[in-house]
Amino acid sequence: MAAASSIQLARIGMLGSGTRARRFSRLSRLDAADWRRNSVRCAPRRSRDERLVADVRLRTRAMVREREDSPIAGDSADAPEDKQVADLPIKLPERDFAGTPYVPVYVMLPLGVVNLECELVDPEGLLEQLKILKSVNVDGVMIDCWWGIVEADAPQAYNWRGYKKLFQMVRDLKLKLQVVMSFHECGGNIGDDVHIPLPCWLMEIGQKNPDIYFTDREGRHNTECLTWGIDKERVLRGRTAVEVFFDYMRSFRVEFNAFFEDGIISEIEIGLGPCGELRYPSYPAKHGWEYPGIGEFQCYDRYLMKSLKKAAEVRGHSFWGRAPDNAGCYNSRPHETGFFRDGGEYDSYYGRFFLNWYSQILIDHGDRVLALANLAFEGCCIAAKLSGIHWWYKTASHAAELTAGFYNPCNRDGYAATALMLKKHETAMNFTCVELRTLDQYEDFPEAMADPEGLVWQVLNAAWDAQIPVASENALPCYDREGYNKILENAKPRDDPDGRHLSAFTYLRLSPTLTEGNNLVEFERFVKRMHGETVLDKLTRDSNHL
């Protein structure tokens, strides 16, 4: 969705689509063993098939090691064949999703489908691709409505021209629309093939007052989105940031009211931070961050610092009115810092005060903007996107999550409060990285201590416990059956006593690669299974004719 999602940046360690590069050295065998031991206590629940696959892999590797350690292994003519056993694919019967709940499937449209002049780019080519999506029975498409395009030149001067043409095209094909209110910059992230800045008039304000942007410890300002410190500050030509957002959303509702009335617009996702996600911009590539760095706290603009100092004074410890000075830099590892290391200052009295304040600022921002979104879009489903920050999840501090604003160390649930805030506003949660496997992350980047499966399990359950709908999307383009199967398992958990499942799934993203040859066949098969339909593969069809 909006630009590259946060975990497109970090998911597979700043990789391009479909590329597996290994930038970092492997852990030593001792370190790897330690990682495995520490993983056991907080590993997520696996399905029966996943446990069987893991068991088979372990046995196979043990057999190979035993053969390699044999005194006569090198003399055996069969040794090369035995060593290849570990690489053989493990085939298990696929789970049958026929008769399971219907989960709608949407597809994100390309980032540059509407240009900076708000004109629809290549409408004929887009129409053909939309017809292909319609032919495989997707439910609809997702589109970003960019603030930097619509309100580009002057405050409250909105240009929706290109979006009107696009929406009519979607309506004619009887597809649904998920629309993102994208209040952030597009460009500079992995997967971004266009650049859409914030509105020109806003950037003029930023040149005189750069503290309207998030700021790091070195004083570098991030122009990707506005700091939450100005949510209630009238520094945008007489308006606060939340007032600017509300005026934009209200204009959209008035302009496209017919699409709401007809039910063409099924959901509005509210952009709440960088990449449209509710998080701090703690790991910006433009400032030198590389996976799996822990990131940096982003609270050094004068508005957030003023809030921090006031909170410290209210607490009665004015000397706490500062950000940590021992939290490392963007590319530090947790154990290298005094704040995030095991037993570090993150769990001290001051550390808990600071992290409570830092995470509460995030929740308060979501609370304010979603309250106004409900006014603007009364009667329509609204959603908010949370980022899947899975690296360093297997450590005590969860450093990367802390710098992003999620107070989720191993002894605290950092997502329950956010889920309750969304519940307050009857807002669905959109979460990412449902196609990622912890084992893959460990094999490619063991030093990242990542656990996407554990994170997904925690966040989905926090949302379901709060009784809010949960939607999801993939992190990187997915074309293979194995990836689709992982999405399906998360979308419709096996043996869930409450029958919980995703409310919708959005595929990242429409491209010529998706609609070609076997990729389209696999995607159509995936859509049918998400819809709970029976899928007959060629082998099954042939056997039925015997």
Side-chain angles (χ1 to χ4, degrees):
M1 108 178 20
S5 83
S6 71
I7 53 178
Q8 276 184 269
L9 284 175
R11 190 85 51 222
I12 319 283
M14 300 289 292
L15 305 184
S17 301
T19 302
R20 290 294 181 96
R22 289 168 171 77
R23 293 189 177 182
F24 305 98
S25 61
R26 301 286 185 179
L27 286 180
S28 67
R29 292 185 179 180
L30 179 60
D31 290 340
D34 288 342
W35 185 90
R36 286 191 291 272
R37 285 194 295 271
N38 292 333
S39 299
V40 172
R41 61 181 176 86
C42 53
R45 187 178 69 182
R46 294 181 176 180
S47 69
R48 290 182 298 231
D49 290 347
E50 287 174 319
R51 290 196 297 268
L52 179 56
V53 168
D55 184 59
V56 171
R57 282 175 174 165
L58 288 173
R59 293 186 191 180
T60 303
R61 289 168 181 163
M63 291 170 61
V64 171
R65 284 196 299 270
E66 182 178 351
R67 169 71 66 174
E68 289 173 343
D69 293 341
S70 171
I72 60 172
D75 299 330
S76 173
D78 298 328
E81 295 180 5
D82 293 335
K83 289 180 181 179
Q84 291 174 7
V85 171
D87 297 324
L88 292 177
I90 299 168
K91 297 292 186 181
L92 289 174
E94 281 191 316
R95 178 180 162 192
D96 183 8
F97 286 91
T100 57
Y102 186 103
V103 176
V105 177
Y106 291 77
V107 177
M108 298 182 200
L109 295 186
L111 292 171
V113 68
V114 173
N115 64 23
L116 292 176
E117 287 70 45
C118 205
E119 295 289 352
L120 191 58
V121 177
D122 188 20
E124 293 81 11
L126 178 61
L127 179 60
E128 290 305 311
Q129 287 192 308
L130 290 176
K131 287 180 178 178
I132 293 173
L133 294 181
K134 178 67 176 179
S135 72
V136 298
N137 293 318
V138 301
D139 296 86
V141 294
M142 174 178 277
I143 179 67
D144 292 280
C145 281
W146 293 100
W147 184 26
I149 292 177
V150 175
E151 196 180 358
D153 298 323
Q156 297 179 280
Y158 306 107
N159 175 11
W160 301 102
R161 185 170 57 249
Y163 293 107
K164 288 181 181 179
K165 295 178 181 178
L166 172 60
F167 287 16
Q168 186 58 51
M169 187 182 295
V170 173
R171 169 193 260 167
D172 292 343
L173 290 172
K174 294 181 171 55
L175 292 169
K176 300 285 188 181
L177 275 166
Q178 292 177 325
V179 184
V180 185
M181 301 287 102
S182 296
F183 297 115
H184 64 283
E185 174 186 62
C186 173
N189 292 329
I190 296 300
D192 292 354
D193 52 7
V194 298
H195 180 244
I196 303 170
L198 296 182
C200 298
W201 61 270
L202 183 85
M203 298 191 74
E204 290 175 2
I205 296 173
Q207 290 176 353
K208 298 178 181 178
N209 179 16
D211 283 303
I212 65 172
Y213 305 121
F214 283 106
T215 307
D216 67 14
R217 183 169 53 91
E218 299 297 323
R220 290 171 292 194
H221 306 287
N222 190 333
T223 59
E224 187 175 354
C225 61
L226 298 177
T227 173
W228 303 329
I230 63 169
D231 276 0
K232 299 188 291 184
E233 299 285 343
R234 296 190 178 278
V235 295
L236 304 179
R237 298 192 180 177
R239 292 186 294 168
T240 67
V242 293
E243 287 172 344
V244 170
F245 299 152
F246 176 68
D247 290 342
Y248 181 91
M249 293 187 288
R250 183 172 54 184
S251 172
F252 178 88
R253 178 59 190 259
V254 171
E255 197 72 36
F256 295 100
N257 186 62
F259 292 88
F260 285 95
E261 297 294 330
D262 294 346
I264 300 300
I265 295 177
S266 60
E267 181 181 270
I268 300 292
E269 183 172 292
I270 312 301
L272 295 171
C275 296
E277 300 167 336
L278 181 58
R279 66 173 177 88
Y280 289 87
S282 56
Y283 46 98
K286 67 176 71 175
H287 292 164
W289 175 86
E290 291 184 357
Y291 184 87
I294 60 176
E296 290 189 18
F297 292 114
Q298 304 289 311
C299 58
Y300 291 87
D301 64 84
R302 72 171 184 257
Y303 302 103
L304 286 181
M305 289 305 297
K306 178 181 176 182
S307 171
L308 175 58
K309 291 176 181 177
K310 181 178 180 180
E313 290 172 358
V314 170
R315 178 66 182 270
H317 304 291
S318 59
F319 54 93
W320 283 357
R322 56 174 179 80
D325 57 8
N326 57 348
C329 59
Y330 286 115
N331 294 314
S332 295
R333 283 22 178 182
H335 65 272
E336 298 171 347
T337 74
F339 193 81
F340 297 114
R341 64 176 175 78
D342 288 355
E345 196 175 12
Y346 80 92
D347 204 26
S348 66
Y349 289 112
Y350 159 72
R352 291 194 294 272
F353 159 78
F354 173 78
L355 292 170
N356 267 307
W357 169 82
Y358 191 71
S359 60
Q360 191 61 47
I361 291 291
L362 176 148
I363 293 172
D364 289 346
H365 172 71
D367 187 35
R368 294 186 196 104
V369 178
L370 292 176
L372 295 177
N374 268 314
L375 289 177
F377 301 120
E378 184 177 2
C380 181
C381 296
I382 62 173
K385 182 179 176 183
L386 264 66
S387 52
I389 302 175
H390 55 76
W391 55 108
W392 305 116
Y393 189 87
K394 287 289 189 181
T395 61
S397 64
H398 291 222
E401 291 168 89
L402 297 187
T403 58
F406 299 109
Y407 190 6
N408 191 51
C410 65
N411 58 352
R412 188 180 189 275
D413 185 350
Y415 297 96
T418 302
L420 290 174
M421 181 271 291
L422 297 179
K423 172 68 174 178
K424 173 183 175 182
H425 300 290
E426 298 182 342
T427 300
M429 177 191 292
N430 184 14
F431 195 65
T432 53
C433 75
V434 289
E435 86 283 18
L436 298 183
R437 301 169 186 78
T438 297
L439 180 62
D440 291 343
Q441 295 296 307
Y442 175 65
E443 289 177 345
D444 288 334
F445 295 97
E447 64 272 32
M449 300 290 185
D451 186 6
E453 292 179 36
L455 178 63
V456 169
W457 183 253
Q458 179 186 357
V459 176
L460 262 57
N461 278 278
W464 284 330
D465 288 347
Q467 298 183 323
I468 59 175
V470 185
S472 194
E473 63 186 53
N474 51 309
L476 291 170
C478 175
Y479 307 110
D480 63 280
R481 188 169 299 187
E482 189 178 7
Y484 288 138
N485 285 344
K486 185 62 182 178
I487 294 170
L488 282 156
E489 289 292 345
N490 281 319
K492 306 176 184 185
R494 185 195 296 268
D495 300 329
D496 189 302
D498 301 309
R500 300 177 299 187
H501 56 84
L502 294 183
S503 60
F505 176 79
T506 305
Y507 177 86
L508 172 82
R509 91 179 50 241
L510 178 61
S511 69
T513 304
L514 174 65
T515 56
E516 68 184 15
N518 190 62
N519 288 345
L520 184 62
V521 173
E522 283 294 332
F523 182 68
E524 181 179 16
R525 183 179 187 275
F526 165 71
V527 172
K528 287 181 178 180
R529 299 176 83 200
M530 289 291 276
H531 288 171
E533 300 175 17
T534 299
V535 173
L536 293 177
D537 293 323
K538 183 178 184 301
L539 183 61
T540 305
R541 291 196 301 268
D542 291 346
S543 64
N544 289 338
H545 289 299
L546 294 178

